[in-house]
Amino acid sequence: AQSVTQPDIHITVSEGASLELRCNYSYGATPYLFWYVQSPGQGLQLLLKYFSGDTLVQGIKGFEAEFKRSQSSFNLRKPSVHWSDAAEYFCAVGTGTASKLTFGTGTRLQVTL
Amino acid sequence: EPEVTQTPSHQVTQMGQEVILRCVPISNHLYFYWYRQILGQKVEFLVSFYNNEISEKSEIFDDQFSVERPDGSNFTLKIRSTKLEDSAMYFCASSDLGQANNEQFFGPGTRLTVL
């Protein structure tokens, strides 16, 4: 069965600083990988996804993520964080078309001014 | 932009009561899902639904739960006899089978509080 690990429960960064959120997955084949963001009281918004091709994927709001098969990782990055990026970030793995998503425990991002 | 909608946004119920959570998926989508998120915990898969039947369900989705697509637009989750531990945020999602990458679009959620 697939699983996702997000080792950082809570991260605090200063506005304008760079950000990297870690995600490791466990799955025997090539996974479909996703990053979702959840603002307080809101639903889940897709930031970006990877399923094949270029291992560096670009998403919305200036986010990018890199798939590294050798490390079973799909870390999320942003060069310069904005205060509005404060939210909870979830990494998720899917195993095929229309399959269920398995989520990590999430990383709460706090941005200081 | 099309979106998944859910009603109600917040439901409070007494333990043992039945609740029905409603979702309107994106109109051309064919796969439907329910997930839940207990406060402070991760989002967990409950069930997926396609062609008017359950495709997959988790061990959480026991006999107390059921799903239905009563008409061409709604997708419902019923909990027959609620327990305190059913208190959670319930998210509906849908996806288009024509997309090979399984992007699921999530609704804003229904917060269920069982007293």
Side-chain angles (χ1 to χ4, degrees):
Chain A
Q2 65 269 26
S3 66
V4 177
T5 301
Q6 293 182 249
D8 303 306
I9 297 173
H10 189 194
I11 284 183
T12 300
V13 299
S14 300
E15 188 174 41
S18 63
L19 171 71
E20 182 169 27
L21 302 182
R22 296 182 290 167
C23 171
N24 292 96
Y25 68 90
S26 173
Y27 180 59
T30 300
Y32 295 175
L33 294 162
F34 305 83
W35 275 99
Y36 283 87
V37 61
Q38 184 183 32
S39 298
Q42 303 296 311
L44 297 164
Q45 181 183 23
L46 181 68
L47 285 176
L48 46 78
K49 61 198 176 196
Y50 169 82
F51 56 98
S52 67
D54 193 346
T55 56
L56 183 64
V57 293
Q58 303 296 321
I60 62 171
K61 304 184 180 186
F63 285 92
E64 65 178 27
E66 186 171 12
F67 170 58
K68 292 185 177 180
R69 185 188 301 277
S70 62
Q71 298 177 18
S72 297
S73 69
F74 189 56
N75 293 347
L76 181 71
R77 300 193 293 250
K78 187 170 184 178
S80 177
V81 169
H82 187 263
W83 64 267
S84 60
D85 293 324
E88 184 116 26
Y89 292 79
F90 292 94
C91 182
V93 62
T95 58
T97 301
S99 70
K100 69 180 183 183
L101 295 180
T102 298
F103 285 84
T105 50
T107 297
R108 180 167 297 280
L109 174 65
Q110 184 176 356
V111 180
T112 57
L113 301 176
Chain B
E1 185 177 331
E3 58 183 16
V4 176
T5 60
Q6 291 184 242
T7 55
S9 57
H10 191 189
Q11 173 99 40
V12 180
T13 189
Q14 295 292 323
M15 188 170 54
Q17 295 297 304
E18 174 183 287
V19 295
I20 297 176
L21 310 183
R22 291 182 168 79
C23 167
V24 179
I26 294 173
S27 62
N28 64 336
H29 285 187
L30 300 176
Y31 266 88
F32 314 113
Y33 312 83
W34 284 101
Y35 293 82
R36 79 171 186 191
Q37 183 183 30
I38 294 172
L39 187 63
Q41 299 185 24
K42 66 179 177 180
V43 178
E44 301 173 289
F45 168 77
L46 291 178
V47 65
S48 60
F49 189 86
Y50 170 70
N51 200 26
N52 284 319
E53 61 183 30
I54 291 174
S55 305
E56 186 177 2
K57 61 182 181 179
S58 72
E59 56 192 28
I60 302 169
F61 194 88
D62 61 21
D63 292 343
Q64 292 299 312
F65 292 88
S66 62
V67 289
E68 190 180 29
R69 189 154 163 81
D71 52 43
S73 59
N74 290 284
F75 179 52
T76 62
L77 174 69
K78 181 192 291 186
I79 309 175
R80 287 189 234 295
S81 178
T82 51
K83 305 171 196 164
L84 295 176
E85 54 264 37
D86 293 328
S87 295
M89 182 75 92
Y90 288 80
F91 292 106
C92 174
S94 68
S95 67
D96 175 4
L97 195 60
Q99 292 180 306
N101 55 18
N102 193 30
E103 178 176 346
Q104 295 179 23
F105 294 80
F106 284 78
T110 293
R111 180 165 298 284
L112 176 65
T113 302
V114 182
L115 302 176

